[in-house]
Amino acid sequence: MAKDKQFVTEITPQAEDFSRWYIDVIKKADLMDYSPVRGCIVFKPDGYEIWEHIQEEMNRRLKATGHRNAYFPLFIPESFFQKEKDHIEGFNPELPWVTEAGGDKLEERLAVRPTSETMFGHMYSKWIQSYRDLPVLINQWANVVRWEKRTLPFIRTTEFLWQEGHTAHENEEEARAETMAMLDNYRDFVETYLAIPVITGQKTPSERFAGAVDTYSIEAMMKDGRAVQAATSHYLGTKFAVAFDINYLNRDNVLEYAHTTSWGTTTRLIGSLIMVHGDDRGLVLPPKVAPTQVIMIPIGPPKTREAVIGRTDELFQELKVAGVRVGVDDRADVTPGWKFNEYEMRGVPIRLELGPRDMENGVCVLVSRVSGEKKIVQQDNLVEEIKTLLAQVHQEMFERALKFREDHFYSVDTLEEMNASMEQKRGFALAGWCGSDACEAQVKEETGATSRNIPFNPAETKQVCICCGEPAQHTVVFAKAY
Amino acid sequence: MAKDKQFVTEITPQAEDFSRWYIDVIKKADLMDYSPVRGCIVFKPDGYEIWEHIQEEMNRRLKATGHRNAYFPLFIPESFFQKEKDHIEGFNPELPWVTEAGGDKLEERLAVRPTSETMFGHMYSKWIQSYRDLPVLINQWANVVRWEKRTLPFIRTTEFLWQEGHTAHENEEEARAETMAMLDNYRDFVETYLAIPVITGQKTPSERFAGAVDTYSIEAMMKDGRAVQAATSHYLGTKFAVAFDINYLNRDNVLEYAHTTSWGTTTRLIGSLIMVHGDDRGLVLPPKVAPTQVIMIPIGPPKTREAVIGRTDELFQELKVAGVRVGVDDRADVTPGWKFNEYEMRGVPIRLELGPRDMENGVCVLVSRVSGEKKIVQQDNLVEEIKTLLAQVHQEMFERALKFREDHFYSVDTLEEMNASMEQKRGFALAGWCGSDACEAQVKEETGATSRNIPFNPAETKQVCICCGEPAQHTVVFAKAY
């Protein structure tokens, strides 16, 4: 038992130091390691597998809606960035440059892509001639690099993995519909797959993607009250079409610019789900992306060990065949108590215990990671019981996260109230905003909070700007953000 | 019909100019496009989807054998390459260097990875302490870059996609067993999934991977008689373990170096399957990786059009539900003949035709892309018929490729004979070799052929070296290679 105790205390409690808790958990649960390259991490197998499950489901959704995957070059010629002035202003400070290759100095520097609007733009201008070629609906899974000053594993790393969708359409209406459909796809995915409730809305102009007409986002609340922008979707208007000459003969045989969109989500989703669901015992992984959904632990004295393990293996096979991601820990040199802690720390959604008495009774014990509740179930009906409990764990995780967010969501009317929301009460603040960059900047300066988005469905509509007292143009969610 | 004729002649015949045929086909079938970055291509959706099917099956196989995916950084510090001298000599001329980032000159240049032995080595030295940590079996799907002088789409591009497996083991025996198991996995995958017969064997020292103790390969014959190295597997001994300090306490509590392996295959598989199976009408895609396995074409006069399309859609749904990748081309403004040519050019394994008479009889017509044979089948039994025919198409493709290879495989005893094998008769040549680098180099100089590998099961065993006439140490497959 001493070992168990020591084990738990290796993770800093969230209330003591949330940042340390986060690093303790992801290291201890073996999701990542620091690499020797500044700001880059190694995604270890358990961390990477979460990403693989995200990819599977995102691919299913994107393909079902007519999108196809492709792959565009890693390197982008410097001149491409010059073509869209907002874009270069936004990304220039973050670019790494290849200047030499194959023993020679390059004539034109190549950026390692921070995003691929320019490369897609260049190719789309070649591919699109007529309205018959539209829409073009392409997605790419890729690594991208942004030379960030401050990094945090998964949440903000120099190199990260993502998907970036780039579409081209005949007109604004269709392009805007795509922008919103993809935003809603992200919301639905994050809620139903990662059990993370999000606030859907539009970014203010200062927080727009570099080169976008409009940017929309989904914003999630971490357990320290900070926000993570979990995905974005951009309507680019004809800005990149003009810059890259993406035009086409329309139905009236007139040359016209295409309207384009882009949208993406990244490996920061992994960091988000950890900071939304984790607790002082470690990770709590959403069942749909957990590398291991059920860990089976045979228990009991040595004399019954062989029989219990035999039955465990049978049930393991049943679950595996049914498509459950299941593991067995039948090590004899580690106590069950130690194992319980270990897999709780790793966030495995369900623990299954099987002992000699359970065998006699044809039952086993299921323990939910999120509620800690024990349930005795019939072995005969195990697959169904597991599937039901996995769905229930997901639902409970979502509801807890939603309750946490509601408990930390404040309506504020003064900068003092907003300050309190950020510091003592740690959460999101809903406030009125006149629409000026100056007021937005002042809020940030005085409270540390940035505008997250203008929610589509705010709980209330604010009448005056929290900063200048003029009539509010928008009701905005403010928060400190990762 | 004039349109059909013109269509076919847009592809250069293989016999006239194989290289032009290849470029014509991949462009026309929309698999790729050239990018504005030297030697880099865009993998368009139909090209990329072939890679996705390769990934799915490779992942299935790797996971079934205990391997897990992870992701390591794109950038590798220059000093890492210095640690293994053969490695730096082999890769230095091909490296692109990031020298500036975020507005600053970097203190140490970062290479864009050409392969990741050094980065894995660095991390493995941190992770591996005891024999209990072994084996480590990790695979990575990634982009890599090699600044090649001459490039060819899919086959040799500056940036390409691949998987690289990196494993660490307690001893030589286990590491060698892994090396061979992965080689055999590649052979089996390429034969049973891509319908490409390959020659399995060991590379000569001059053709070894930079830093390997032994390199093994599978070699495929293209339709112009040239070889493509389709995959490699390396036993690295303790060379990288010594360079990166991957040591562990063994079962006797003694510190010992781990034995490592690496193995990989790339998007050149896409180029290979095109050059092995394609013909003058275009692509012939192996059913298991074809983006579209069955194309349905409703035919007949306008008055029955609606009814035929209705029935086509029903059958489409049946096939789709059964997991067949099926498409329908019911465009009214294009003739069936034009469509037949189009999907033959795109290499779709099976064409399904349905007309009003077929409807009356409850049948439809299936046409195999590889043999051109027509088969009338009952609609009631369509899913089974399609699955059987897809398997048959695969089998026929494999047998044709095998026969082609056998017809172009020569046993030679003099350099003149080898020259004839390369030039007039275009194929692989089996020859004796004394084992000296000098003789190998002379063969290359006089015939243009390089040693592909020392096959495990040569058709015959040669007694003397083709070059110097001394006793042969090995019987070697020589060929001109891509």
Side-chain angles (χ1 to χ4, degrees), chain A residues 303-324:
Chain A
K303 67 177 175 184
T304 59
R305 187 174 150 75
E306 204 172 315
V308 171
I309 288 181
R311 183 62 186 142
T312 302
D313 287 344
E314 287 170 12
L315 295 173
F316 169 83
Q317 285 304 333
E318 270 181 42
L319 288 171
K320 200 173 166 184
V321 167
V324 177

Side-chain angles (χ1 to χ4, degrees), chain A residues 71-73 122-127, chain B residues 26-27 30-37 39-45 153-154 157:
Chain A
Y71 188 77
F72 287 64
H122 176 87
M123 299 311 296
Y124 281 9
S125 77
K126 292 175 67 180
W127 300 344
Chain B
I26 58 179
K27 288 276 290 178
D30 226 19
L31 299 186
M32 58 70 67
D33 198 358
Y34 293 103
S35 89
V37 182
C40 293
I41 62 169
V42 175
F43 294 77
K44 293 187 81 173
F154 296 123
T157 49

Side-chain angles (χ1 to χ4, degrees), chain B residues 393-406:
Chain B
V393 167
H394 171 92
Q395 194 54 31
E396 277 185 39
M397 288 175 72
F398 182 79
E399 281 161 16
R400 283 181 186 220
L402 189 60
K403 180 163 191 317
F404 181 89
R405 191 183 77 188
E406 283 168 355

Side-chain angles (χ1 to χ4, degrees), chain B residues 214-280:
Chain B
D214 286 312
T215 288
Y216 302 88
S217 73
I218 55 173
E219 304 279 337
M221 186 189 289
M222 306 299 105
K223 272 196 178 164
D224 62 352
R226 285 183 175 237
V228 165
Q229 175 181 295
T232 50
S233 187
H234 316 290
Y235 169 60
L236 305 173
T238 57
K239 290 174 79 169
F240 283 88
V242 169
F244 287 90
D245 219 21
I246 313 173
N247 54 30
Y248 70 98
L249 281 176
N250 70 13
R251 287 160 201 266
D252 303 320
N253 221 28
V254 175
L255 209 58
E256 195 175 330
Y257 284 114
H259 291 248
T260 67
T261 83
S262 68
W263 27 273
T265 192
T266 80
T267 35
R268 72 179 353 204
L269 287 179
I270 301 170
S272 307
L273 66 88
I274 294 163
M275 291 203 278
V276 165
H277 299 302
D279 62 24
D280 286 347

Side-chain angles (χ1 to χ4, degrees), chain A residues 1 5 14 38 48 50 80 131 137 166 171 192 217 233 239 242 252 260 314 377 383 405 410 412 424 427 476-477:
Chain A
M1 286 307 288
K5 204 98 202 206
Q14 291 186 335
R38 183 183 162 290
Y48 190 77
I50 294 172
F80 278 38
Y131 71 90
L137 307 172
H166 297 271
N171 53 48
T192 62
S217 73
S233 187
K239 290 173 81 170
V242 169
D252 302 321
T260 67
E314 287 170 12
V377 302
V383 169
R405 192 185 75 187
Y410 312 106
V412 300
Q424 298 98 296
V476 175
V477 173

Side-chain angles (χ1 to χ4, degrees), chain A residues 33-34 37 43 46 49 52 63 68-71 74-75 93 95 97 99-100 102 109 123 127 143 159, chain B residues 33-34 37 43 46 49 52 63 68-71 74 93 95 97 99-100 102 109 123 127 143 159:
Chain A
D33 198 357
Y34 293 102
V37 182
F43 294 78
D46 273 347
E49 191 175 330
E52 289 182 292
K63 290 180 183 185
R68 297 191 70 191
N69 290 328
Y71 188 77
L74 171 70
F75 299 128
L95 297 177
W97 294 103
T99 60
E100 303 162 21
R109 298 195 299 176
M123 299 311 296
W127 300 344
N143 54 343
E159 181 189 8
Chain B
D33 198 358
Y34 293 103
V37 182
F43 294 77
D46 273 346
E49 190 175 331
E52 290 184 288
K63 290 179 182 187
R68 297 192 70 192
N69 290 329
Y71 187 77
L74 171 70
L95 297 178
W97 293 102
T99 60
E100 305 162 20
R109 298 195 299 176
M123 300 309 299
W127 299 345
N143 54 343
E159 180 187 8

Side-chain angles (χ1 to χ4, degrees), chain B residues 167-209:
Chain B
T167 69
H169 305 264
E170 284 186 63
N171 54 48
E172 174 166 356
E173 189 186 351
E174 278 183 27
R176 283 195 178 276
E178 170 80 6
T179 306
M180 301 315 283
M182 288 303 106
L183 183 71
D184 197 57
N185 175 51
Y186 288 131
R187 179 200 58 72
D188 189 70
F189 169 74
V190 167
E191 292 187 352
T192 62
Y193 233 69
L194 309 183
I196 301 177
V198 288
I199 291 166
T200 309
Q202 182 168 5
K203 286 283 187 186
T204 61
S206 73
E207 297 281 332
R208 256 184 222 142
F209 175 75

Side-chain angles (χ1 to χ4, degrees), chain B residues 315-327:
Chain B
L315 295 172
F316 169 83
Q317 286 303 334
E318 270 182 41
L319 289 170
K320 201 173 166 183
V321 167
V324 177
R325 295 191 292 273
V326 58

